[in-house]
Amino acid sequence: MEYKRQLAVPQVKPRLIIHGGAGNITPEKLGPEKYKQYRHALLTIVSKADTYMRTPVSSNEHGYPSPKYPSALDVATYAVTLLENNPLFNSAHGAVFTRDGTNEMDSSVMVSRGFAKRGVGVTGLRRVKNPVLLAKAMLEHGDEDLRKKADPGLAVPARGDAALGDPGEVDEAARDLDVPSAQGHTLIHGETAETLARMYGLELVDPKYFFTQNRWDEHVRALDKEKAGKGLATWSAEEYLPQGTCGAVALDADGVLCAATSTGGMTNKLTGRVGDTPVVGSGFWASEWAESGNASKTTPGPAADAWQSLRRRLSFPGPVAELSSSLRSLVADCLPTPSVYHPIEQTADEDIQTTRSIALSGTGNGDSFLRVAATRTVASIAQWAKLPATEALRQVAGRGGELERSAGDRWGKTGEGEGGMIGIESVVSRDANGRVISTHANILQDHNCGGMFRAWIDNDGKAVMRIFHPDEGQATQIRRPSFEGEDEPEDVWRWSAEKA
């Protein structure tokens, strides 16, 4: 028999999902070769990030064998740096161009708990090699920044030119800025944000680093079509013009969730345009809250098998001892009820306290995400309507959801409303004595458009990727064998080492 020990502290299984953009992506627009490139990149990146997530960073300070693993913040931002460094994806090295032929990047991070600011964003970056690392540093420095703000007696460091790096590499305007820290701010733009990047010791590069021929060709081709009266410079019905983002959501063993997001914005956006990616509650969100009652009734998630489904219908908070799967078939015909043994008295629903948390990263038409406060809306539906996060996500980012409806009669004509989200929902339930009686986490993903590049680690530790909707993906593989590989579990080690 498998003995499930009740623990005072939840033992949460780390989870991870990434995305690389969404929009009018179809097999015809993508083509077999591009499909293979995206599949390879997504599986490689999610596998490398999973390997990083499961690699100890230190041991217990007393010498006992209790290794410490990377936090959700570390894992999510590490995954996004891999996306930022890959020119296939619309962030950093693969960022799209503005109408003026420049690159302006945005990024953000948010955690469900653990940092005073919880979420921050940066925007209008032109020289920070990995924008997500600037957002991460701002969050990590936030506790100190807010402490100085709350206590006027604490000294504020004076600005010095040494903090700005080599004067030859610094804009004249940046040298005149007074930036002692990020202060209590949540969203910081342009030269001020890049001044902070220098103070934090992050790598800055020549703007030429962000040039890629593919993005430049998209930029020029779309502008030419607009001038010829054949469409918009920001969206095309004939080809996939990136208007989305890159992102990752991670759950660590302490039950903390983190969403990290990065983007070059919308193809041929106006210089100075700010999208949803750096705005809290629009392009990203993470939160945690408490509920009373049995979580199995309010946040079921997909049942792993019939036994799990039946336990929920019987309102069991979760067995302490359970027959192993190898014995179930042996006794199934002999027992009228599931072979679950409870050595302790069942806890009444009203005595159960549940902690739910959710983190989301959005991708798609950022202006639409801003108009409906997309990610915060999903979390609010899950929290206040006490719905499973999968259903809350469907109501906003799924087909016919709030994002799609926000486009009105412009849906399918301008790119408005198009998009999707990835995320993770974590649920921990405790009895009246504070004992943990159940934990589970669900991978979240939905989109209302042709496709969304994403990959995740499944319950068995396998890497899985998907671009199209499940039904469309299966049909595509039947019609076009060259698009095979969607939803096929892959060994992480093969992609994180051998194929990488």
Side-chain angles (χ1 to χ4, degrees), residues 295-303 308 312 387-388 390 425 427 440 442:
S296 65
K297 290 185 176 181
T298 58
T299 58
Q308 182 179 343
R312 287 171 179 161
L387 287 177
T390 50
E425 177 188 35
V427 181
H440 71 263
N442 299 321

Side-chain angles (χ1 to χ4, degrees), residues 122-126 134 177 188-195:
V122 289
T123 180
L125 305 179
R126 295 189 175 189
L134 176 54
L177 295 175
I188 298 181
H189 173 79
E191 293 169 348
T192 299
E194 295 197 335
T195 299

Side-chain angles (χ1 to χ4, degrees), residues 271-301:
T271 298
R273 176 259 190 186
V274 178
D276 65 309
T277 294
V279 179
V280 174
S282 291
F284 67 104
W285 183 258
S287 58
E288 179 181 282
W289 66 94
E291 291 181 359
S292 297
N294 194 337
S296 65
K297 290 185 176 181
T298 58
T299 58

Side-chain angles (χ1 to χ4, degrees), residues 233-275:
T234 55
W235 184 85
S236 171
E238 288 75 37
E239 67 173 314
Y240 167 60
L241 288 179
Q243 61 172 354
T245 65
C246 298
V249 177
L251 170 68
D252 63 28
D254 294 326
V256 177
L257 282 164
C258 176
T261 314
S262 184
T263 187
M266 179 186 295
T267 300
N268 289 323
K269 65 184 180 182
L270 295 179
T271 298
R273 176 259 190 186
V274 178

Side-chain angles (χ1 to χ4, degrees), residues 34 213-228 230-236 238-242 267-268:
K34 276 288 187 182
Q213 191 63 49
N214 181 55
R215 292 286 184 252
W216 182 259
D217 291 343
E218 291 172 345
H219 158 68
V220 173
R221 188 164 58 245
L223 285 176
D224 288 344
K225 285 185 177 180
E226 183 184 72
K227 291 175 183 177
K230 297 180 179 180
L232 302 172
T234 55
W235 184 85
S236 171
E238 288 75 37
E239 67 173 314
Y240 167 60
L241 288 179
T267 300
N268 289 323

Side-chain angles (χ1 to χ4, degrees), residues 43-386:
L43 288 171
T44 298
I45 289 171
V46 78
S47 296
K48 293 182 75 171
D50 178 67
T51 299
Y52 172 75
M53 180 171 66
R54 293 182 291 103
T55 302
V57 294
S58 65
S59 298
N60 186 283
E61 60 182 8
H62 300 294
Y64 297 109
S66 178
K68 178 178 175 59
Y69 292 86
S71 67
L73 176 63
D74 293 331
V75 174
T77 52
Y78 173 77
V80 172
T81 61
L82 298 180
L83 291 162
E84 288 179 332
N85 294 340
N86 191 312
L88 277 176
F89 302 106
N90 176 22
S91 61
H93 190 45
V96 299
F97 287 89
T98 67
R99 293 182 69 93
D100 299 307
T102 59
N103 304 104
E104 291 188 343
M105 293 151 288
D106 308 331
S107 191
S108 59
V109 295
M110 191 167 190
V111 292
S112 56
R113 57 180 162 86
F115 289 93
K117 285 189 175 181
R118 280 202 31 230
V120 297
V122 289
T123 180
L125 305 179
R126 295 189 175 189
R127 301 187 57 159
V128 180
K129 183 178 180 181
N130 290 109
V132 75
L133 295 183
L134 176 54
K136 178 176 184 279
M138 273 184 59
L139 184 71
E140 292 173 329
H141 284 81
D143 289 32
E144 181 182 359
D145 293 340
L146 290 174
R147 188 165 59 251
K148 291 175 181 176
K149 183 180 177 67
D151 188 350
L154 292 176
V156 176
R159 179 185 63 84
D161 289 341
L164 300 179
D166 184 355
E169 299 179 353
V170 180
D171 294 336
E172 196 67 35
R175 286 200 295 270
D176 294 333
L177 295 175
D178 183 3
V179 187
S181 72
Q183 307 287 282
H185 305 320
T186 297
L187 178 59
I188 298 181
H189 173 79
E191 293 169 348
T192 299
E194 295 197 335
T195 299
L196 286 171
R198 295 185 184 93
M199 293 172 60
Y200 297 148
L202 300 178
E203 184 176 1
L204 276 73
V205 295
D206 189 292
K208 294 178 181 178
Y209 166 80
F210 303 106
F211 177 92
T212 59
Q213 191 63 49
N214 181 55
R215 292 286 184 252
W216 182 259
D217 291 343
E218 291 172 345
H219 158 68
V220 173
R221 188 164 58 245
L223 285 176
D224 288 344
K225 285 185 177 180
E226 183 184 72
K227 291 175 183 177
K230 297 180 179 180
L232 302 172
T234 55
W235 184 85
S236 171
E238 288 75 37
E239 67 173 314
Y240 167 60
L241 288 179
Q243 61 172 354
T245 65
C246 298
V249 177
L251 170 68
D252 63 28
D254 294 326
V256 177
L257 282 164
C258 176
T261 314
S262 184
T263 187
M266 179 186 295
T267 300
N268 289 323
K269 65 184 180 182
L270 295 179
T271 298
R273 176 259 190 186
V274 178
D276 65 309
T277 294
V279 179
V280 174
S282 291
F284 67 104
W285 183 258
S287 58
E288 179 181 282
W289 66 94
E291 291 181 359
S292 297
N294 194 337
S296 65
K297 290 185 176 181
T298 58
T299 58
D305 53 33
W307 295 85
Q308 182 179 343
S309 180
L310 186 53
R311 283 202 303 270
R312 287 171 179 161
R313 289 197 294 271
L314 294 175
S315 300
F316 290 168
V320 175
E322 178 181 337
L323 288 181
S324 65
S325 58
S326 62
L327 294 178
R328 290 179 184 175
S329 59
L330 181 64
V331 299
D333 294 332
C334 304
L335 296 177
T337 57
S339 47
V340 177
Y341 168 58
H342 290 267
I344 62 173
E345 182 181 354
Q346 293 300 301
T347 303
D349 284 357
E350 58 269 21
D351 293 332
I352 296 176
Q353 292 296 317
T354 296
T355 300
R356 292 178 65 189
S357 53
I358 187 173
L360 299 156
S361 175
T363 178
N365 184 285
D367 297 308
S368 299
F369 275 73
L370 283 164
R371 290 169 191 157
V372 302
T375 53
R376 181 63 175 113
T377 298
V378 173
S380 295
I381 293 172
Q383 179 175 357
W384 302 114
K386 294 189 175 181

Side-chain angles (χ1 to χ4, degrees), residues 10-13 426-429 436-441:
Q11 297 297 301
V12 179
K13 180 181 179 179
S426 174
V427 181
V428 178
S429 296
V436 175
I437 57 177
S438 69
T439 68
H440 71 263

